[in-house]
Amino acid sequence: MQLSPLLFLAAGASATGILLPLYLYPSAIYNDGAANWKPVYDAIINNPSVNWQVIINPHNGPGLSGLPGDDDLNYMNGTAQFNSLPHVRTIGYVRTLNGASPLSEVEANITIWATWNSYTSSNISVHGIFFDEAIEPSGVSDGSNLAYLTNATSFARKAFGSTPIVTICNFGAKPDSRYYSICDEIIVFESCLDNNAGNSVCTTAPLPPQYENQTTISANIPDTTYANQAAIVVHDFVGTTYDGKQANTTTLDSYVSTLEANSVGWAYFCSLNYSSVTFGPATVGVFASSVGNA
Ligand SMILES: *[C@@H]1O[C@H](CO)[C@@H](O)[C@H](O)[C@H]1NC(C)=O
Ligand SMILES: *[C@@H]1O[C@H](CO)[C@@H](O)[C@H](O)[C@H]1NC(C)=O
Ligand SMILES: *[C@@H]1O[C@H](CO)[C@@H](O)[C@H](O)[C@H]1NC(C)=O
Ligand SMILES: *[C@@H]1O[C@H](CO)[C@@H](O)[C@H](O)[C@H]1NC(C)=O
Ligand SMILES: *[C@@H]1O[C@H](CO)[C@@H](O)[C@H](O)[C@H]1NC(C)=O
Ligand SMILES: *[C@@H]1O[C@H](CO)[C@@H](O)[C@H](O)[C@H]1NC(C)=O
Ligand SMILES: *[C@@H]1O[C@H](CO)[C@@H](O)[C@H](O)[C@H]1NC(C)=O
């Protein structure tokens, strides 16, 4: 098991960091300084005690051009802005499609991500790889993708040479605990707040699991020694909770405090989906303050 390689905040820092899937195009207008990402940039600046990992995702992977920054000035500008801030790791997105993506394709995309690190005109380096859709096809993690993810994560570490990276695997549900020795970090829950509100993914049968605060944490991280490697992601934070509370800042603050009390390593709550950072009540700024103040 690797320790988190970058020198992140330790003393006085909040225990829980923010793992942000930023699937939002950086710019509203070409060369506008990545205006769409400005709320994230501001939230980072305004919460200096919080560690961040920002997942960059031009096109379900490093982008179609194969060139560093996907040869897109807007991605380069936004990524370089994040890299200029302390306590931020930029992370490159790849998808495993539950182990169905050919390893050769996953590896080719990781190789492209690694080329972002040798770009010289600006600092668009990434410091980790996010393996999306990592859970086994059955939806219940049983270890059947252990060989696949072992290969994929070790390829990533080699591809970045002497630059240390983190590997983050998105199971979205409780992983077979053996994956904790393969992936540095694991998303152990990714779902909705309410089955009667939010995007149709939350309200259409088969209904996805609702977030249930301590119950979810205890169920999905049964062995607390793994808590600091675990991440919890809740989207569509609107409507009411499983026990009838309002999706508001009071509830959000309480949930964040509970994550902190359980030493959960990483979290992200948003009120819409990963295409918006400004939809409330859980805008990126509000969530960051909640984590920063917890
Ligand atoms: C991003 O773009 C803006 C607007 O063109 C420019 O002022 C700024 O220097 C750029 N920043 C980086 C890190 O490239
Ligand atoms: C590889 O990247 C391309 C371009 O971003 C994307 O279309 C494809 O889905 C990616 N495949 C994997 C396995 O990440
Ligand atoms: C690029 O930014 C990253 C993240 O802040 C930093 O670790 C790295 O040293 C920077 N690289 C260069 C060449 O300045
Ligand atoms: C992983 O890599 C090993 C050694 O290269 C290879 O023998 C094995 O078939 C690979 N496993 C998978 C699931 O691709
Ligand atoms: C949030 O909703 C709860 C009821 O679930 C209420 O007690 C609390 O005052 C509300 N907080 C805000 C900021 O509206
Ligand atoms: C979440 O769970 C914790 C621990 O059981 C509890 O103290 C807190 O009040 C709960 N928060 C909400 C909003 O129900
Ligand atoms: C995010 O939600 C908005 C509003 O419901 C919707 O228009 C958009 O397509 C969604 N984006 C994704 C990627 O699902």
Side-chain angles (χ1 to χ4, degrees), residues 103 147-148 151:
L103 271 173
Y148 180 94
N151 284 18

Side-chain angles (χ1 to χ4, degrees), residues 79-139:
T79 305
Q81 287 192 51
F82 289 141
N83 279 335
S84 74
L85 300 173
H87 324 131
V88 183
R89 275 185 196 127
T90 44
I91 308 282
Y93 177 101
V94 299
R95 70 194 321 186
T96 68
L97 296 177
N98 315 102
S101 286
L103 271 173
S104 58
E105 185 186 324
V106 174
E107 293 175 357
N109 279 358
I110 292 169
T111 301
I112 294 171
W113 279 117
T115 68
W116 292 41
N117 291 36
S118 46
Y119 189 70
T120 48
S121 303
S122 62
N123 185 350
I124 57 166
S125 55
V126 298
H127 303 272
I129 294 290
F130 181 73
F131 297 89
D132 200 13
E133 298 161 11
I135 198 164
E136 295 89 337
S138 66

Side-chain angles (χ1 to χ4, degrees), residues 3 35 55 69 94 118-120 139 142 152 168 177 186 192 196-197 203 205 207 215 219 231 238 240 265 278:
L3 291 176
I55 302 164
V94 299
S118 46
Y119 189 70
T120 48
D142 57 11
I168 308 175
S177 63
I186 295 182
C192 304
N196 296 299
T203 58
L207 295 173
T215 304
V238 288
T240 51
T278 51

Side-chain angles (χ1 to χ4, degrees), residues 213-214 242-243 245 250-251 254-255 258:
N213 194 16
Q214 184 68 55
Y242 72 105
D243 59 352
K245 298 190 175 95
T250 310
T251 303
S254 174
Y255 284 178
T258 307

